Amino acid sequence: MNHQRTVVVYGVDHSPWVQGVRMALHHQGIPHTLTSVPFGPDWWLRRGLVFPAMRVGDAPVLTDSFRIYESLEEAGASLGVKRLSQAERTSAQVELERLFTRYALGRCANGKDWAFFRAWSTMQETPATRTGAAVRGLLSLYFWVLIRVGIRLRTRRGLPAVDLAEIRSFLAPWNARLERAPWLTGGSLGFLDFALLGHLQCMASGPTDEMLPLVQAFPALMAWQDRMVAELAGHRPLYVRRFRADTSAGDEREPARRGWFWVGWSAGVLGWPLTMLLVIHALVVRNWNPGHSGAATARARR
């Protein structure tokens, strides 16, 4: 990849999909920026608030983290995408989506709504901007509604919002794979390692601390995580260090522009009828975006 071209990633640093892409870029030595501001109103109207999305220079915007990994490898990055067949890549993406839909609801479950918003206030763009922080305040309301809907759908079926035993069962196959090999993407570290670590990053980012003991109970997963942390020296944030009781890992940087986050959040709450119209629009167009969480699972069912 031509490192002279500007690489911009759209998303937030608690997103597992965004984290996976950013860690891959970091490991490949590709400078990039992270923004919470969508790529213009037209893109937002057609694609909704789904991330990650990535733009390289003036090229079209890419969505879907796995498609981004493929594009990076096509541009010269060494991510091991071709070591796995298309069927294997699809299966892995589906399994990660299933894992995500189980643990992500825990970010707002059991009275943690306010903790959810406080966690969003500590995220940062790179570089930090006032506009990005204010937009992130609005984004947090959209994702809060999305998670609350997910919780409601599960509880209406008589299921707990978060089933730790079920989440443990989704982690077990990944641990088994790592008992057989040091990396998930074949003979060396690659895209699938970044993809899974992105989910552990999300689990360890604060609102779902009940997930920490689940991961800690898997020796192969923990040893692999340690190898990943060593490979990612210099990357921030590395929330996964909290699995090793490193309490500094949860908030590595002073949250810049935090006040602007609350300005955006307050504007969204005060203008709730308009905010809900925007949220409903985003929920509708979300299903048109091939990169939304659950899209790979839906495609696999067809």
Side-chain angles (χ1 to χ4, degrees), residues 1 46 60 82 86 91 104 116 159 182 200 245 259 272 290 294:
M1 173 175 284
R46 290 183 294 106
K82 297 302 182 183
Q86 181 60 61
S91 176
F116 172 80
L159 300 171
L200 268 61
W272 191 246

Side-chain angles (χ1 to χ4, degrees), residues 222-242:
M222 290 293 291
W224 164 82
Q225 173 200 279
D226 292 340
R227 293 193 294 275
M228 291 293 293
V229 168
E231 290 281 348
L232 290 165
H235 175 74
R236 296 293 183 272
L238 276 175
Y239 298 114
V240 291
R241 296 208 314 261
R242 298 185 66 228

Side-chain angles (χ1 to χ4, degrees), residues 150-285:
I151 290 173
R152 179 62 175 162
L153 290 175
R154 275 186 65 87
T155 55
R156 283 187 62 181
R157 292 160 52 200
L159 300 171
V162 180
D163 186 333
L164 296 181
E166 186 179 25
I167 295 168
R168 187 181 299 110
S169 73
F170 280 115
L171 290 170
W174 295 103
N175 186 73
R177 289 179 66 161
L178 290 165
E179 288 176 337
R180 299 190 296 269
W183 306 109
L184 295 169
T185 316
S188 60
L189 183 155
F191 80 102
L192 194 52
D193 298 285
F194 297 119
L196 178 60
L197 194 69
H199 289 274
L200 268 61
Q201 285 267 72
C202 184
M203 289 181 182
S205 61
T208 52
D209 280 0
E210 64 272 22
M211 308 298 164
L212 300 183
L214 297 185
V215 176
Q216 290 164 340
F218 289 108
L221 203 54
M222 290 293 291
W224 164 82
Q225 173 200 279
D226 292 340
R227 293 193 294 275
M228 291 293 293
V229 168
E231 290 281 348
L232 290 165
H235 175 74
R236 296 293 183 272
L238 276 175
Y239 298 114
V240 291
R241 296 208 314 261
R242 298 185 66 228
F243 288 113
R244 291 300 189 189
D246 185 343
T247 56
S248 68
D251 191 8
E252 296 179 343
R253 302 165 296 172
E254 178 64 25
R257 321 280 185 186
R258 186 183 291 188
W260 287 97
F261 169 89
W262 293 112
V263 168
W265 184 88
S266 298
V269 172
L270 292 173
W272 191 246
L274 176 59
T275 301
M276 275 306 298
L277 288 176
L278 295 173
V279 166
I280 291 169
H281 167 80
L283 290 172
V284 171
V285 298

Side-chain angles (χ1 to χ4, degrees), residues 73 78-85 88-89 183-191 193:
E73 181 149 287
S78 178
L79 294 174
V81 172
K82 297 302 182 183
R83 293 184 212 143
L84 277 65
S85 68
E88 289 172 323
R89 297 198 297 271
W183 306 109
L184 295 169
T185 316
S188 60
L189 183 155
F191 80 102
D193 298 285

Side-chain angles (χ1 to χ4, degrees), residues 140-157:
S140 70
L141 295 168
Y142 163 76
F143 283 98
W144 176 76
V145 170
L146 187 61
I147 291 176
R148 295 306 307 179
V149 169
I151 290 173
R152 179 62 175 162
L153 290 175
R154 275 186 65 87
T155 55
R156 283 187 62 181
R157 292 160 52 200

Side-chain angles (χ1 to χ4, degrees), residues 49-73:
L49 302 174
V50 174
F51 38 69
M54 187 180 78
R55 171 178 278 160
V56 181
D58 297 327
V61 176
L62 289 171
T63 59
D64 186 316
S65 59
F66 274 49
R67 177 68 189 100
I68 290 172
Y69 294 134
E70 292 170 7
S71 176
L72 290 171
E73 181 149 287

Side-chain angles (χ1 to χ4, degrees), residues 11-35:
V12 296
D13 67 13
H14 280 201
S15 162
W17 319 105
V18 172
Q19 277 284 352
V21 168
R22 292 195 67 214
M23 289 186 293
L25 290 168
H26 172 82
H27 191 260
Q28 293 296 307
I30 302 173
H32 63 281
T33 61
L34 175 68
T35 181

